[in-house]
């Protein structure tokens, strides 16, 4: 874990855990779990939950389980089961031998349901979906009791076993808890515990079951079976807590975890709903779940964000009970701080402009030494080749400009980073009047120093035309145009808010030779251009392609201000 991570960061949940430990509750032990449903890849919101659950376990010498909440076999699959494990591990956490599936508990869940039936606390109901809704009432009006509510225990036991045996069609019958149709809490109006699902092949249990337990029933039982002490979930489950407690109070299970809710992460300029992310993937708006523009852990990894910086972000945003939209700048600052400290510097020219240094001998070249990091000598040095023909960026030259322009102008001087001062003597243009080449001179006395009294406008980066390696870059921008990416006009779709320029590809870039050896996962700062990482796509293997992780500064602040 990085040094910036402050494990003493506290929040109201950690305070509850500390008090419980002090009071000797749960035998002075803390046990949490992270319970994803395997119906998509993990995103940064899940990371918040992972850092919270695994972080508490780690800091209070407890344990954290990874449990797949796999009771909804229609939308779940093994690709997601695998990717979730990979992502939790990559984030730096270890569930050791405690990988569980809610489906592991299907038999126990069934047996506890039988207990509820025997105690007269659950019944088989034949109302169809529409009738159920009508009987359920509204927030203002109490519900009505189902005509099947008074079935005898024997009849319920018989019907439930026949549901399990596959005698009935999907939707024909459900098992419901018998709680209170007049409760102001809708979740307590005889919620469904089991429904029938034929014809699905569950990724863990195959075709063994055709009845599937509902989330609100499965979750407390799974928590209790695993000996969870603190069951942390997001705020939308606050109203479900009485049901969570009801289930555990009415079955013969000694353990009763405490459910505690915290607010979900919402992040500007992106969406964190798996349904919407699935739509972006399925409808081809992005290249896949690991597209570097996606807020998924896999996307961020491919984008070049480090696990440490994502953990740091999750700690900085904190854990509260109030919903809000977190600024993208919060995440980007964590990414930049981490990269600034750890990324070696390199030079790359995105929009090349040829510069011929006329007083540098033809056929000659020299190897110059440049530090890998301006503030960290331990990161060492590298060799860069200098010769008569080099490239600078088109944006670093103007024929004329006022004093504020700190780059090269006709007749002016500029320092080449890690090399000499050059002066622009002549501008070469093509028939269309476009600048195609600069003729310059260099001053051999200026390597690594400015001779006295010499004023140079600025420093620009460059790459040797002879030694540089050609390749491409993929420049990523925000996925959505508006901070509140979900917000749509009437009749619109959230995909209308997608930023059409979220990916720009440049193909004729030049990289300094050291970059030809860039390894997978190595992050670099391309001087003055941003932070980059080798693209890990299969298709990018043939040529040198770098992904831009992030710009050097937040250029959006300016745009937002100017654009209003
Ligand atoms: P979605 O609504 O996108 O499908 P979910 O909550 O259903 O998300 P799960 O796979 O059930 O997704 O989530 C696993 C865990 O991660 C849950 O405990 C959930 O509360 C937590 N989680 C999911 N999204 C967020 C988020 N945006 N912020 C914080 N925690 C989250
Ligand atoms: Mg869910």
């Amino acid at each position: 874990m990085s040094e910036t991570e402050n494990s003493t960061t506290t929040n109201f949940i950690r305070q509850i855990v500390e008090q419980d430990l002090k009071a000797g509750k749960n035998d002075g032990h803390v046990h949490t779990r992270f319970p994803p449903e395997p119906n998509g890849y993990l995103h940064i919101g899940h990371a918040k939950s992972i850092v919270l659950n695994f972080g508490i376990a780690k800091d209070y010498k407890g344990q954290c389980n990874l449990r797949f909440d796999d009771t909804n076999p229609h939308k779940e699959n093994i690709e997601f089961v695998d990717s979730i494990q990979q992502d939790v591990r990559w984030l730096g956490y270890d569930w050791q031998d405690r990988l569980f599936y809610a489906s592991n508990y299907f038999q126990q869940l069934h047996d506890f349901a039988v207990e509820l039936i025997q105690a007269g606390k659950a019944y088989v109901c034949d109302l169809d979906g529409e009738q159920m809704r009508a009987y359920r009432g509204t927030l203002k009006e109490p519900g009505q009791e189902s005509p099947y509510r008074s079935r005898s225990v024997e009849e319920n036991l018989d019907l439930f076993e026949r549901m399990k045996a596959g005698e009935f069609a999907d939707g024909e019958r459900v098992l419901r808890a018998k709680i209170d149709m007049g409760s102001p809490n809708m979740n307590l109006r005889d919620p469904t515990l089991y429904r029938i699902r034929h014809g699905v092949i569950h990724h863990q249990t195959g075709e063994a079951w055709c009845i599937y337990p509902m989330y609100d029933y499965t979750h407390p039982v799974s928590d209790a079976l695993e000996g969870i002490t603190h069951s942390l979930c997001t705020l939308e489950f606050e109203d479900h807590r009485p049901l969570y407690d009801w289930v555990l109070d009415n079955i013969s299970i000694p353990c009763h975890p405490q459910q505690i809710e915290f607010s979900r992460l919402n992040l500007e300029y992106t969406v964190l709903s798996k349904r919407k992310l699935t739509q972006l993937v399925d409808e081809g708006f992005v290249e896949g779940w690991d597209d570097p523009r996606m807020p998924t852990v896999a996307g961020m990894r491919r984008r070049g964000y480090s696990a440490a910086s994502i953990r740091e972000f999750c700690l900085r945003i904190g854990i509260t009970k109030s919903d809000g939209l977190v600024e993208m700048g919060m995440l980007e600052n964590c990414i930049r701080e981490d990269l600034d400290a750890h990324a070696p510097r390199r030079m790359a020219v995105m929009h090349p402009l040829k510069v011929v240094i006329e007083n540098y001998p033809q056929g000659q070249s020299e190897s110059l030494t440049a530090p890998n990091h301006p503030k960290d000598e331990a990161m060492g040095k590298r060799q860069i080749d200098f010769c008569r023909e080099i490239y600078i960026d088109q944006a670093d030259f103007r024929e004329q400009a006022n004093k504020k322009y700190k780059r090269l102008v006709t007749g002016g001087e500029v320092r080449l980073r890690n090399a000499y001062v050059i002066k622009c003597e002549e501008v070469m243009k093509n028939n269309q009047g476009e600048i195609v080449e600069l003729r310059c001179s260099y001053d051999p006395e200026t390597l690594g120093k400015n001779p006295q009294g010499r004023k140079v406008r600025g420093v620009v980066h460059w790459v040797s035309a002879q030694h540089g390696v050609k390749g491409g870059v993929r420049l990523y921008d925000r996925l959505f145009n508006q901070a509140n990416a979900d917000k749509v006009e009437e009749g619109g779709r959230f995909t209308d808010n997608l930023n059409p320029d979220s990916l720009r590809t440049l193909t004729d870039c030049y990289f300094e030779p050291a970059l030809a050896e860039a390894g997978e996962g190595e992050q670099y700062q391309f001087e003055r251009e941003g932070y980059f990482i080798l693209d890990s796509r299969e298709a990018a293997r043939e040529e040198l392609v770098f992904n831009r992780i992030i710009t050097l500064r937040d250029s959006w602040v300016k745009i937002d201000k100017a654009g209003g």
Side-chain angles (χ1 to χ4, degrees):
M1 307 258 156
S2 101
E3 308 148 329
T4 51
E5 275 177 57
N6 181 1
S7 59
T8 60
T9 309
T10 193
N11 57 54
F12 78 94
I13 296 181
R14 282 173 173 260
Q15 283 163 7
I16 293 173
V17 168
E18 278 174 28
Q19 280 162 14
D20 289 350
L21 288 176
K22 237 182 245 160
K25 222 172 142 178
N26 309 307
D27 299 327
H29 183 69
V30 56
H31 202 148
T32 56
R33 85 288 172 264
F34 172 63
E37 183 179 352
N39 61 348
Y41 278 57
L42 296 183
H43 54 58
I44 184 85
H46 292 115
K48 173 179 175 172
S49 176
I50 291 168
V51 169
L52 176 67
N53 279 293
F54 280 93
I56 284 178
K58 181 170 156 275
D59 291 342
Y60 299 102
K61 302 197 172 26
Q63 289 163 313
C64 181
N65 298 356
L66 175 61
R67 182 200 316 141
F68 289 106
D69 240 311
D70 57 347
T71 55
N72 197 5
H74 271 305
K75 292 185 290 175
E76 297 162 358
N77 73 48
I78 204 76
E79 177 195 350
F80 300 138
V81 168
D82 293 341
S83 74
I84 288 170
Q85 294 183 56
Q86 184 189 2
D87 290 349
V88 174
R89 259 196 218 105
W90 180 77
L91 280 172
Y93 299 104
D94 185 4
W95 53 89
Q96 293 155 331
D97 57 351
R98 295 180 312 281
L99 171 65
F100 300 113
Y101 296 83
S103 57
N104 292 157
Y105 312 131
F106 279 173
Q107 187 61 48
Q108 282 132 303
L109 284 156
H110 165 271
D111 297 347
F112 286 126
V114 169
E115 270 187 24
L116 287 173
I117 296 172
Q118 282 165 338
K121 287 172 178 162
Y123 61 98
V124 172
C125 182
D126 303 0
L127 294 179
D128 63 27
E130 208 176 301
Q131 291 166 323
M132 285 261 270
R133 267 189 295 283
Y135 273 81
R136 201 157 171 245
T138 63
L139 281 175
K140 293 201 187 95
E141 284 169 50
Q144 262 176 279
E145 294 189 351
S146 160
Y148 305 99
R149 203 176 199 261
S150 50
R151 274 180 167 150
S152 69
V153 169
E154 289 65 36
E155 191 182 3
N156 281 320
L157 285 173
D158 174 60
L159 287 172
F160 187 53
E161 281 316 292
R162 287 162 61 194
M163 277 170 64
K164 175 172 170 261
E167 264 188 51
F168 310 117
D170 287 15
E172 205 177 325
R173 292 199 156 98
V174 295
L175 182 73
R176 296 175 74 174
K178 194 188 283 187
I179 310 181
D180 179 6
M181 289 308 290
S183 171
N185 185 337
M186 303 283 282
N187 296 303
L188 296 181
R189 294 186 187 173
D190 291 8
T192 300
L193 302 179
Y194 266 92
R195 71 227 140 113
I196 301 169
R197 283 273 182 284
H198 284 290
V200 291
I201 298 173
H202 190 281
H203 51 94
Q204 300 300 318
T205 58
E207 293 175 286
W209 294 85
C210 67
I211 51 169
Y212 286 93
M214 301 297 287
Y215 177 87
D216 277 341
Y217 172 62
T218 311
H219 205 78
V221 175
S222 307
D223 279 348
L225 286 170
E226 290 175 16
I228 300 303
T229 57
H230 299 81
S231 177
L232 314 180
C233 62
T234 39
L235 275 183
E236 68 272 22
F237 291 103
E238 197 163 20
D239 286 346
H240 298 237
R241 194 191 328 137
L243 177 54
Y244 184 99
D245 290 331
W246 182 91
V247 169
L248 296 179
D249 287 340
N250 288 286
I251 58 175
S252 63
I253 202 162
C255 177
H256 193 136
Q258 180 184 2
Q259 174 177 311
I260 308 171
E261 308 86 15
F262 63 95
S263 65
R264 295 178 86 78
L265 169 64
N266 298 303
L267 186 60
E268 284 183 352
Y269 297 101
T270 195
V271 292
L272 294 182
S273 131
K274 269 189 276 183
R275 189 177 54 78
K276 289 185 177 141
L277 295 174
T278 304
Q279 214 174 319
L280 293 179
V281 173
D282 288 351
E283 295 176 24
F285 289 107
V286 293
E287 290 169 4
W289 284 98
D290 69 342
D291 186 300
R293 293 164 292 179
M294 290 280 272
T296 51
V297 173
M300 291 183 173
R301 174 169 59 235
R302 197 176 132 200
R303 174 82 170 255
Y305 294 6
S306 72
S309 55
I310 295 174
R311 288 195 303 263
E312 175 66 20
F313 167 74
C314 292
L315 291 175
R316 279 192 203 174
I317 53 175
I319 299 290
T320 67
K321 272 199 181 276
S322 53
D323 272 319
L325 194 58
V326 172
E327 282 179 32
M328 191 58 131
M330 279 276 280
L331 174 61
E332 293 182 340
N333 281 341
C334 294
I335 308 302
R336 283 197 189 94
E337 283 172 28
D338 177 60
L339 288 166
D340 181 42
H342 300 114
R345 274 45 173 175
R346 293 288 184 266
M347 293 197 287
V349 174
M350 309 275 134
H351 303 94
L353 171 60
K354 173 80 80 66
V355 170
V356 178
I357 299 163
E358 292 180 304
N359 60 338
Y360 197 90
Q362 207 122 29
Q364 184 179 312
S365 74
E366 65 190 290
S367 188
L368 305 176
T369 308
N372 283 328
H373 197 288
K375 287 172 274 182
D376 188 354
E377 260 181 60
M379 287 177 71
K381 295 182 163 66
R382 70 198 193 271
Q383 298 303 117
I384 43 176
D385 302 293
F386 185 77
C387 64
R388 183 180 158 91
E389 296 194 357
I390 63 169
Y391 293 109
I392 65 168
D393 200 281
Q394 288 165 17
D396 286 334
F397 175 76
R398 276 189 209 161
E399 290 190 85
Q400 288 176 333
N402 64 23
K403 288 252 162 22
K404 279 192 199 138
Y405 185 73
K406 299 289 183 212
R407 311 172 200 184
L408 191 59
V409 295
T410 317
E413 287 188 330
V414 75
R415 171 170 289 282
L416 298 174
R417 168 74 86 212
N418 303 312
Y420 300 96
V421 170
I422 58 167
K423 180 178 183 187
C424 177
E425 309 285 355
E426 196 183 351
V427 181
M428 317 294 280
K429 297 183 179 176
N430 62 15
N431 291 339
Q432 284 84 49
E434 296 160 347
I435 301 170
V436 290
E437 192 179 294
L438 303 179
R439 296 296 169 112
C440 294
S441 59
Y442 89 114
D443 181 345
E445 300 305 312
T446 54
L447 184 63
K449 59 178 195 265
N450 268 351
Q452 280 207 328
R454 189 75 162 269
K455 277 220 179 101
V456 179
R457 272 179 180 246
V459 182
V460 303
H461 59 281
W462 57 279
V463 169
S464 156
Q466 187 192 325
H467 306 89
V469 190
K470 208 171 166 185
V473 293
R474 290 157 63 91
L475 306 177
Y476 297 106
D477 223 320
R478 293 181 176 174
L479 187 51
F480 288 87
N481 273 324
Q482 56 185 50
N484 206 329
D486 291 58
K487 201 171 150 203
V488 285
E489 301 291 313
E490 226 185 272
R493 285 159 47 97
F494 80 99
T495 49
D496 299 341
N497 300 334
L498 282 164
N499 171 12
D501 301 318
S502 58
L503 169 60
R504 270 190 305 139
T505 305
L506 304 178
T507 48
D508 296 311
C509 309
Y510 283 91
F511 303 111
E512 66 165 273
L515 284 169
E517 269 104 66
E520 207 164 301
E522 287 172 15
Q523 303 153 315
Y524 295 97
Q525 184 193 97
F526 291 179
E527 300 222 23
R528 302 174 67 230
E529 294 288 2
Y531 295 97
F532 288 78
I533 189 167
L534 204 61
D535 189 349
S536 60
R537 266 178 320 143
E538 208 62 47
R541 298 275 154 78
E542 302 297 303
E543 33 167 3
L544 205 52
V545 179
F546 287 91
N547 285 324
R548 184 167 69 194
I549 306 168
I550 196 164
T551 54
L552 288 180
R553 273 171 295 276
D554 187 3
S555 49
W556 281 76
V557 175
K558 267 183 269 160
I559 293 168
D560 285 350
K561 279 194 183 129

